[in-house]
């Protein structure tokens, strides 16, 4: 069901990825969208696209302290603009990174690494799509109804996945129904 297979990963695919998202909302019959956006560019573009559509938009950022203790990567102004357009911003713990990173620093291995690396077999964006859907579910910002998730490889967007969501403690009940867009390799 892949609608778009990009030759290369990255932000050059963002506009086409959001077009796939827009078409996928109708085609897949979903009314929830979860978008990964570290600095807010992709989240803001999605909020502008979906303004007034009635679609529940959740923009997921890195956790506070991701780069430096106490720091936020998305500016307060960008967050406010996304929210003014009807989106909600989720800043929370990334299930495949945070605790696993702490364990890896001490033991050089974590179970989260195994799961994340297995999902990366389909691309970095697929791993992120699964992760942000769990984060939005953990925060109570989406229901268990199907969602479209948008993520990318580095900055921008290059992946859209249709997912039956679950919270992180129910990871293996989450289902990737279809991949609508992704890079052919990354």
């Amino acid at each position: 069901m892949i609608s778009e297979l990009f030759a290369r990963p990255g932000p050059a695919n963002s506009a086409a990825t959001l077009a796939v998202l827009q078409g996928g909302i109708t085609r897949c019959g979903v009314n929830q969208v979860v978008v990964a956006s570290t600095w807010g560019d992709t989240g803001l573009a999605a909020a502008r696209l979906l303004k007034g559509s009635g679609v529940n938009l959740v923009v997921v950022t890195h956790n506070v302290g991701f780069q430096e203790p106490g720091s936020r990567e998305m500016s307060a102004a960008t967050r406010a603009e996304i929210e003014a357009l009807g989106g909600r911003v989720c800043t929370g713990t990334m299930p495949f990174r945070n605790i696993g990173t702490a364990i890896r620093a001490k033991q050089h291995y974590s179970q989260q690494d195994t799961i994340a690396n297995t999902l990366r077999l389909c691309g970095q964006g697929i791993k992120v799509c699964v992760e942000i859907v769990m984060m939005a579910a953990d925060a109570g910002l989406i229901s268990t109804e199907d969602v479209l998730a948008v993520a990318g490889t580095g900055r921008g967007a290059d992946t859209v996945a249709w997912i039956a969501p679950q919270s992180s403690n129910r990871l293996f009940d989450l289902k990737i129904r279809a991949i609508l867009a992704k890079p052919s390799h990354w």
Side-chain angles (χ1 to χ4, degrees):
M1 180 179 215
I2 294 178
S3 303
E4 190 74 48
L5 191 61
F6 301 114
R8 299 246 182 268
N13 303 311
S14 292
T17 300
L18 291 176
V20 170
L21 167 68
Q22 191 169 33
I25 289 169
T26 302
R27 196 167 92 207
C28 300
V30 302
N31 65 359
Q32 306 187 102
V33 171
V34 181
V35 176
S37 194
T38 301
W39 303 99
D41 301 340
T42 305
L44 191 52
R48 288 177 178 144
L49 178 73
L50 299 175
K51 180 183 177 189
S53 68
V55 171
N56 175 24
L57 171 65
V58 178
V59 177
V60 179
T61 69
H62 284 160
N63 59 281
V64 173
F66 184 85
Q67 292 287 341
E68 298 174 8
S71 70
R72 290 180 186 261
E73 294 163 314
M74 183 184 289
S75 73
T78 301
R79 182 184 188 112
E81 190 171 352
I82 291 168
E83 291 171 345
L85 291 166
R88 295 184 291 171
V89 179
C90 174
T91 303
T93 302
M94 296 168 22
F96 297 141
R97 183 180 189 282
N98 292 7
I99 295 170
T101 301
I103 293 168
R104 185 181 333 104
K106 295 286 184 189
Q107 299 180 354
H108 307 289
Y109 171 81
S110 81
Q111 292 175 336
Q112 289 92 335
D113 289 340
T114 302
I115 296 167
N117 288 332
T118 300
L119 287 166
R120 283 188 186 103
L121 291 171
C122 295
Q124 174 67 13
I126 295 299
K127 189 276 296 184
V128 175
C129 282
V130 168
E131 194 164 42
I132 64 173
V133 166
M134 289 189 300
M135 291 171 70
D138 285 352
L141 296 175
I142 59 172
S143 70
T144 55
E145 305 269 327
D146 287 2
V147 302
L148 289 180
V150 177
T153 307
R155 291 199 74 150
D158 58 24
T159 305
V160 179
W162 179 9
I163 297 176
Q166 288 293 329
S167 55
S168 60
N169 63 307
R170 298 184 186 286
L171 165 65
F172 298 109
D173 293 329
L174 179 146
K175 302 298 178 220
I176 300 171
R177 296 202 186 283
I179 298 169
L180 305 183
K182 72 178 280 312
S184 60
H185 65 283
W186 58 283

